[in-house]
Each structure stands twice: as C-alpha cells, then as structure tokens.
Amino acid sequence: MSAEMTQIMGEFIGTLILVLLGDGVCAAVNLNKSKAQASGWIVIALGWGMAVTMAVYISGFMGPAHLNPAVSIAMAMTGAIGWNLVFPFIIAQMLGAFLGAVLVWLSYLPHWEATKDQGAILGTFATGPAIRNYPANFITELIGTFVLVLGLLAFGENAFADGTNVFAVGGLILAIGLSLGGPTGYAINPARDLGPRIAHAVLPIGNKGTSDWAYSWVPVLGPVAGAIVAVGVFSLMV
C-alpha cells in the first residue's frame, strides 16, 4: 500500500472508531433500557473526549489522524498536508463516520424498538440545537471548531513526551463539550455529523423520525468556517 493510501485508510479507520465510541456513548445515555440511560451530559462529553483519544491512538501511526474534514482543510491551509489529500481524506472520513454509525445501530439493536422518543434516536446519530436559531447555532459551531483547530495548531508548537499529545487533544474535546456543547451538541466536525445523519436516514431504525435535514448544513459549514478563522488567527500569533 502506498504512503498516501495508508494515510487515507488511517482517516477511514480512525473516524470509524471515533463515531463508534462517540455515538456509542450517546446511544448509551439516550436509549431506553440501556444500563447507562440518563447518565447525563458529563458522561457524553467524557465519552467523546475518550473517543477522540482512542481513535487517534488507533489510527495515528498510519497518518495525521485528522478524523475531521475541517481539520484537514485547516492543515492544508497551513501547508501541513498537500491539498491533493484533502478530498480523499474527507471521503474516507465520511465513509468511516457512516460505518461507525452503522456499528452503533447494530450494537444497540434491540434498544431502538424500546425507545419511542424520536429526538433521542436522532440525537444518538447527529447533533441538533437546544434552541433552533440558525445564525446562533452556526456561530456556536464556528466558535467551538475555532477553539479546536487553534488548540491543535498551538499543540504543534509545544513539546510533548512521545504519545502524550493525544491526551491533550482528548482533553481539548472534553473542555469544548463541557463548556460550549450545550447549545448545539458540539459537532465541530462535518463528518461526525453528516455521516451518521445519512446512516440514520437509510437504516431501518425502529421508531425513527425525520433526519432533520433543514439543520444539517449548520454542523457542516460552521466547523469549516471556524477552522478557517482559527488558521487566520494562528498565523497572526506565530
């Protein structure tokens, strides 16, 4: 396998693990008769932080482990990767996110029929606003992703013992979730939201409702805008 294909495969596998564990914790908290049902936002935020950490550890030896189209675009803007890799990375991330969501569906197979709340089912797969206000929701996703990408770029300027930088990334995700996740559920990653939303739309999930396509542009364009702003700010900082 060529070096480029290895990196692309790393993005696929890493994003699969990211969504499997991340949407998995959402399923654990949201779905009826789950042993972790109603365990709360702190569990979800911590679960996503650890999901990112484990996904990067599992796939990071294969490539940069962006696992996020907004991060890949930002890294291409800084010259860390070539623009020729951005589209293949995004496709791999989207496919990995979709398959990760399918595996969550299989993991909790009996629980969909036991769950009557359509919002809880969709919330297992994709994000949604606590208060639907598209401009405000867009700004929230922009700010969250701005913090994410600015943090990742700043981490690159710091010295870490081998392997420990991944925990800094997981801690950053946890901090964003706890502090900024309340308004929109903090997608901060177009693949993390869109891939599972497509899975929600096509899978034969019991009791599911709409996939809320009217909102779907927010967790795609908001993170991309936030990443671009972060690159601009970081360029002024350094």
Side-chain angles (χ1 to χ4, degrees), residues 61-165:
F61 74 96
M62 302 178 73
H66 296 159
L67 319 183
N68 182 337
V71 173
S72 294
I73 291 169
M75 295 307 169
M77 290 177 66
T78 66
I81 64 168
W83 282 101
N84 62 303
L85 286 174
V86 172
F87 185 70
F89 275 18
I90 291 174
I91 294 299
Q93 291 156 359
M94 284 292 301
L95 292 174
F98 177 87
L99 184 55
V102 172
L103 294 178
V104 172
W105 171 64
L106 291 172
S107 297
Y108 284 84
L109 203 54
H111 294 267
W112 310 108
E113 288 292 345
T115 304
K116 307 305 179 183
D117 186 341
Q118 295 178 349
I121 291 173
L122 177 58
T124 296
F125 290 86
T127 63
I131 298 174
R132 189 172 296 259
N133 180 315
Y134 292 126
N137 303 149
F138 177 88
I139 290 169
T140 297
E141 287 293 329
L142 185 156
I143 293 171
T145 314
F146 167 81
V147 174
L148 170 64
V149 173
L150 189 68
L152 294 177
L153 293 172
F155 291 166
E157 300 297 316
N158 287 273
F160 290 89
D162 286 348
T164 59
N165 61 319

